[in-house]
Amino acid sequence: MSVPAPAGRTVLVAGLFPAKARDHAAVMAALTAELEGHGAVVAGSFVQRRGVSAGGVQAMGLPYSATTVLGSGKLRELAAARAATAASAVIFAGQLTYRQRSRLTDALGCPVLGRADLPATATPE
């Protein structure tokens, strides 16, 4: 996948984390710092926690799919922020499958990438 470097672009960052992940804030802060260090303007950060509710705990063992990366409410929140900020991309802290990227790109109206999808020039050596 060929994607432009984030320099000069407004982006949003997002992440899906299990409830037991205590370092999610540090992961999101590191991604934000990395992107800003390469000239991106990070307009917002969104975290979806999985396994916080009783239903979420039951779903922890299920595989992720194109429809379960974000809950419908978080997806609406992210879409509204993307529209309000005119962000040119959404960068996820974790990896996304091709299908997840495609589904989210369609839903949000901008490219959606996982951290691993960023060009080499967008990540520190």
Side-chain angles (χ1 to χ4, degrees):
M1 170 187 279
S2 176
V3 295
R9 298 179 182 270
T10 299
V11 300
L12 298 169
V13 295
L16 171 66
F17 300 94
K20 291 183 180 181
R22 301 288 181 223
D23 66 340
H24 72 278
V27 171
M28 295 296 284
L31 176 57
T32 297
E34 180 180 323
L35 291 166
E36 288 175 342
H38 291 285
V41 176
V42 177
S45 178
F46 298 84
V47 173
Q48 176 78 60
R49 302 297 302 272
R50 188 169 188 205
V52 176
S53 68
V57 169
Q58 293 172 349
M60 286 298 292
L62 300 174
Y64 294 112
S65 73
T67 59
T68 61
V69 174
L70 296 174
S72 59
K74 190 62 69 176
L75 185 58
R76 282 191 302 272
E77 185 181 333
L78 189 53
R82 204 226 46 94
T85 63
S88 62
V90 175
I91 313 298
F92 269 76
Q95 291 190 331
L96 298 171
T97 66
Y98 172 81
R99 189 171 199 191
Q100 290 166 338
R101 286 191 313 267
S102 178
R103 175 75 56 94
L104 289 166
T105 293
D106 289 345
L108 297 172
C110 70
V112 177
L113 308 167
R115 189 176 205 162
D117 298 320
L118 294 172
T121 57
T123 56
E125 302 298 322

